[in-house]
Amino acid sequence: MATSEVQNFYKNKYIFLTGGTGFLGVAIIDKILRSAPEIGGIYLLMRPKKGKSIHERLQDLTKNSVFEQLLETQSADIFKKLIPVSGDVGENFLGLSQEDQATIVENTNVVIHSAATLDFQATLRPTVNINLLGTKRVLELCTRMRNLKSMVHVSSAYVNSYLTEAEEKLYPCTETAQKVVDLVDTLNDSALDELLPKLLKDHPNAYTFTKQLAEHEVNRHAAQFPCAIIRPSMITGAWKEPTPGWTISKNGPQGFLMGASKGVIRRLPVGVDLVYDYIPVDAVVNQALVLGWYMGTNSFRELKVFHCTTSTSNPFKWRSVVDQMNDYLHKYPLKSAIWYPRLKFVSSLWVYKLASLFVHILPALVLDFVLRVTGGRPMLMRLHTNVWDSLNRLEKFIFTEWKYHNPATQQLAQLLPEKDKSLFNFNVSQLQWPEYFVYLTQGVRRYLNNEHPKSLDAARRKDKM
């Protein structure tokens, strides 16, 4: 039986992971524990939150739905591989104690840096602190690690969203990281807000701007230790692992499927003939872990950039599933649906807003009134106000078509040993979009709307009624 080179690489090694409690982070943890259980351990950078210690937060983390498949084959003892360390990418020295720094520096072999603030509305100060300085702090720790084999930085395809076509290379920044950091240190919030449009230039928001600056910080260290940048596009629910359709993220298509299945989202602004770049979370996880192995076994001393994307290798258009979406919603309905699901796609934001007055706002006012009268908590107007606001911010991302070329990623998928091609699969050219959306609809039902498959018969009776 062929052995897995990637599994062998991670055997007895220690990984330092940031962003481990997020959508991508928990999926990375699950995959390592399932497919490389002989890992030495995973140092998880965590901060105490909502009055809970990092050990209590780790306990909560182990109850995540992502681990259901893992626990069918492993005992809960596998979680002893997770080593929480108290810290925060937003603090100097990552907020790590001297003792934890010493342990991490001594033992870490692979660093996966996925922590970031993903808020497209966030101002410059927090995005610089987390996305730029956070990366800088991780890299500074990397320089002290005695046995570091590779560093994988999770960036975003949209760092170059001012270009409608982008290659797997580092593009020049219009500002230096040091200048931006100095401005944040010296200016107050209102002065920063005023200056922001001039700094951003063609960038749509502070997120893409600071993530691009962070890439250049990674490049500055690429001669010291092997560094890879992985640029995923919009990360969506699982294609295959841990189970088809698994998701805990409400971003992108899974968020509106969540609302559509409830019957409260009835119109959606989408260009049905545009290519949308969606990438399943398990493809990102597998490629990130393969990059740890690839960079670590080849000991590269120059930066390698990889697009984890579908727009050029397996382009998705809503046209391919638009006629089936309502069928999916009625095949897998919700017991908790408020209104009969019926989703229609509209071609512009102003058409959406006009239609929304009649199919979203007016019904929301009526239903919120009924909830108030019956002692419930009104929520629909708040939901639609949030959707309205977010669509204004996302208009560029909804109606722009990008092409992210990914020959390096395709080449990497081909050079994998046969065993690893199946064990750590990220070759998305094999993905069938209509089938994927059937599973995503079920995943949204199960994991976002918290309705067990056992309730499906009762939900179907309600839907029919």
Side-chain angles (χ1 to χ4, degrees), residues 345-380:
F345 295 84
V346 294
S347 58
S348 73
L349 210 51
W350 77 265
V351 173
Y352 164 80
K353 287 184 172 179
L354 186 64
S356 194
L357 289 171
F358 299 99
V359 298
H360 291 160
I361 306 301
L362 288 174
L365 288 168
V366 172
L367 284 165
D368 275 359
F369 175 73
V370 171
L371 284 167
R372 271 196 196 90
V373 169
T374 54
R377 191 164 61 93
M379 57 182 179
L380 291 174

Side-chain angles (χ1 to χ4, degrees), residues 268-406:
L268 201 71
V270 157
V272 291
D273 292 310
L274 292 178
V275 171
Y276 285 83
D277 205 314
Y278 297 141
I279 187 78
V281 64
D282 45 334
V284 186
V285 168
N286 286 337
Q287 188 171 349
L289 292 174
V290 165
L291 283 174
W293 158 80
Y294 177 66
M295 300 303 291
T297 49
N298 288 288
S299 302
F300 293 111
R301 283 297 186 265
E302 75 276 352
L303 183 69
K304 301 284 183 185
V305 181
F306 299 84
H307 280 159
C308 189
T309 53
T310 56
S311 52
T312 56
S313 49
N314 189 357
F316 168 74
K317 293 182 180 181
W318 278 103
R319 175 70 67 199
S320 66
V321 295
V322 71
D323 293 331
Q324 296 100 309
M325 281 315 303
N326 284 306
D327 294 339
Y328 301 161
L329 293 172
H330 292 295
K331 193 173 181 183
Y332 305 102
L334 294 183
K335 203 176 170 187
S336 60
I338 295 168
W339 196 2
Y340 187 74
R342 184 75 191 157
L343 188 62
K344 279 190 179 179
F345 295 84
V346 294
S347 58
S348 73
L349 210 51
W350 77 265
V351 173
Y352 164 80
K353 287 184 172 179
L354 186 64
S356 194
L357 289 171
F358 299 99
V359 298
H360 291 160
I361 306 301
L362 288 174
L365 288 168
V366 172
L367 284 165
D368 275 359
F369 175 73
V370 171
L371 284 167
R372 271 196 196 90
V373 169
T374 54
R377 191 164 61 93
M379 57 182 179
L380 291 174
M381 268 308 294
R382 190 173 74 248
L383 166 80
H384 288 302
T385 303
N386 289 341
V387 169
W388 196 292
D389 290 344
S390 67
L391 287 174
N392 285 331
R393 291 196 304 277
L394 295 172
E395 186 171 9
K396 179 184 172 72
F397 293 91
I398 296 168
F399 294 109
T400 305
E401 183 176 286
W402 282 280
K403 281 186 181 171
Y404 292 117
H405 300 283
N406 61 354

Side-chain angles (χ1 to χ4, degrees), residues 94-140:
L94 301 174
L96 292 166
S97 68
Q98 291 287 341
E99 189 182 349
D100 284 340
Q101 283 183 58
T103 304
I104 291 163
V105 162
E106 189 63 41
N107 298 326
T108 299
N109 308 110
V110 177
V111 172
I112 302 175
H113 175 43
S114 83
T117 175
L118 303 173
D119 186 357
F120 281 12
Q121 202 179 5
T123 55
L124 196 61
R125 196 180 303 281
T127 50
V128 164
N129 189 35
I130 303 296
N131 296 347
L132 173 54
L133 289 175
T135 302
K136 203 175 161 100
R137 291 166 189 135
V138 169
L139 290 161
E140 282 165 0

